[in-house]
């Protein structure tokens, strides 16, 4: 991670220093809440600033095209994980936690998913997403505090867990996800790293062990290399 950050610094030192000031000083003062942070306000402001640009959900230090190149690499990998689990997206009831700019919404839509519910902590991009994906449902909800309320065949949670920075909130989110999986249902989750540590006020790296300890009795695959981190595929037992 540090080598990657140093490379970005060499390419754009002034932009890197400006973002570092925002994330190390200004952000914690503006959004900090004890050990955690005001996630709804942070992501509302960030998505309002970038709109549907992948820089909002992706890497602010990269251009839009660079982000698109990074995301294109994982689009097919994500679908291959679905195929490996023999998930019929045309008939599956799918939930996505952390819709963001709708990248995976578009992947799922293009792959034929018909029954889709997207959850996000902020609804700032929902008007554009509803216009682009008619028939899909979008709900503003914090998975760390409120259960999803129904069960799904597939739950997608990509690059979200690293933005849950408190262990108690991570435990609550994983409990809500477990409850929302149908028997035999699958969770595909990314954002896992090799070392568990807090990086920034809004970023905490969790390991596969940090996640899997909440899924006793579930079958799982991984960690699977995925962008700059790892993914896990976790399946609930058939009843």
């Amino acid at each position: 991670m540090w080598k990657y950050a140093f490379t970005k610094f060499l390419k754009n030192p002034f932009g890197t220093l400006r973002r570092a000031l925002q994330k190390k000083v200004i952000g914690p003062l503006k959004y900090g809440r004890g050990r955690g942070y005001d996630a709804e306000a942070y992501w509302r402001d960030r998505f309002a600033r970038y709109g549907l640009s992948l820089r909002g959900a992706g890497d602010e230090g990269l251009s839009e095209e660079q982000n698109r190149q990074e995301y294109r690499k994982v689009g097919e990998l994500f679908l291959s994980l679905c195929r490996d689990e023999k998930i019929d997206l045309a008939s599956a009831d799918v939930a996505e936690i952390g819709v963001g700019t709708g990248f995976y919404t578009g992947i799922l839509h293009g792959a034929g998913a018909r029954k889709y519910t997207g959850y996000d902590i902020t609804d700032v991009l929902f008007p554009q997403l509803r216009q682009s994906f008619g028939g899909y449902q979008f709900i503003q909800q914090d998975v760390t505090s409120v259960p999803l309320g129904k069960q799904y065949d597939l739950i997608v949670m990509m690059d979200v867990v690293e933005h849950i920075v408190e262990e108690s909130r991570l435990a609550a989110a994983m409990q809500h996800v477990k409850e929302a999986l149908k028997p035999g249902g699958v969770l595909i989750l990314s954002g896992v790293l090799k070392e568990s540590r807090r990086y920034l006020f809004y970023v905490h790296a969790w390991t596969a062990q940090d996640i899997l300890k909440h899924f006793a009795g579930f079958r799982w695959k991984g960690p699977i290399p995925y962008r700059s981190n790892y993914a896990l595929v976790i399946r609930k037992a058939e009843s």
Side-chain angles (χ1 to χ4, degrees), residues 14 18-19 29 32 37 47 54 58 66 71 74 91 113 124-125 129 135 141 145 162 166 170 181 188 193 196 231:
F14 295 109
R18 183 179 67 253
R19 289 188 298 275
L29 290 173
Y37 74 109
F47 288 140
L54 286 174
Q66 288 171 323
Y71 273 82
V74 298
S91 62
V124 68
L125 297 180
L129 293 173
Q141 191 163 307
S145 59
E162 68 267 40
E166 297 171 87
L170 178 68
L181 280 173
I188 300 179
L193 290 175
S196 183

Side-chain angles (χ1 to χ4, degrees), residues 125-136:
L125 297 180
F126 282 4
Q128 297 99 306
L129 293 173
R130 289 187 178 115
Q131 186 173 8
S132 298
F133 303 105
Y136 279 11

Side-chain angles (χ1 to χ4, degrees), residues 5 7 21 58-59 75 77 151 165-166:
T7 300
L21 178 65
D59 191 328
L77 178 55
Q151 290 189 313
V165 298
E166 297 171 87

Side-chain angles (χ1 to χ4, degrees), residues 55-204:
R55 294 183 70 198
D59 191 328
E60 293 179 286
L62 299 179
S63 68
E64 178 67 7
E65 180 55 33
Q66 288 171 323
N67 269 287
R68 288 192 180 280
Q69 291 174 8
E70 289 290 314
Y71 273 82
R72 274 196 292 267
K73 295 175 184 177
V74 298
E76 181 55 36
L77 178 55
F78 168 75
L79 289 176
S80 73
L81 296 178
C82 294
R83 288 193 294 269
D84 289 346
E85 295 302 311
K86 296 180 171 51
I87 298 169
D88 181 3
L89 291 174
S91 62
D93 203 344
V94 180
E96 181 180 6
I97 299 171
V99 174
T101 58
F103 174 79
Y104 287 98
T105 317
I107 293 290
L108 289 161
H109 186 268
R114 299 172 184 172
K115 293 180 285 185
Y116 170 98
T117 304
Y119 297 87
D120 204 284
I121 199 167
T122 175
D123 64 354
V124 68
L125 297 180
F126 282 4
Q128 297 99 306
L129 293 173
R130 289 187 178 115
Q131 186 173 8
S132 298
F133 303 105
Y136 279 11
Q137 185 177 17
F138 296 92
I139 299 173
Q140 182 181 8
Q141 191 163 307
D142 181 358
V143 71
T144 70
S145 59
V146 181
L148 300 189
K150 63 170 288 188
Q151 290 189 313
Y152 298 92
D153 300 298
L154 171 65
I155 297 179
V156 178
M157 196 173 183
M158 313 307 287
D159 297 322
V160 172
V161 292
E162 68 267 40
H163 300 301
I164 303 174
V165 298
E166 297 171 87
E167 190 166 4
S168 61
R169 287 187 173 274
L170 178 68
M174 296 301 97
Q175 180 62 35
H176 294 155
V177 168
K178 285 195 298 184
E179 293 170 353
L181 280 173
K182 292 180 181 179
V186 174
L187 165 67
I188 300 179
L189 174 152
S190 74
V192 173
L193 290 175
K194 291 183 176 180
E195 181 184 3
S196 183
R197 59 171 290 192
R198 183 79 171 263
Y199 282 97
L200 296 165
F201 74 93
Y202 72 106
V203 178
H204 190 302

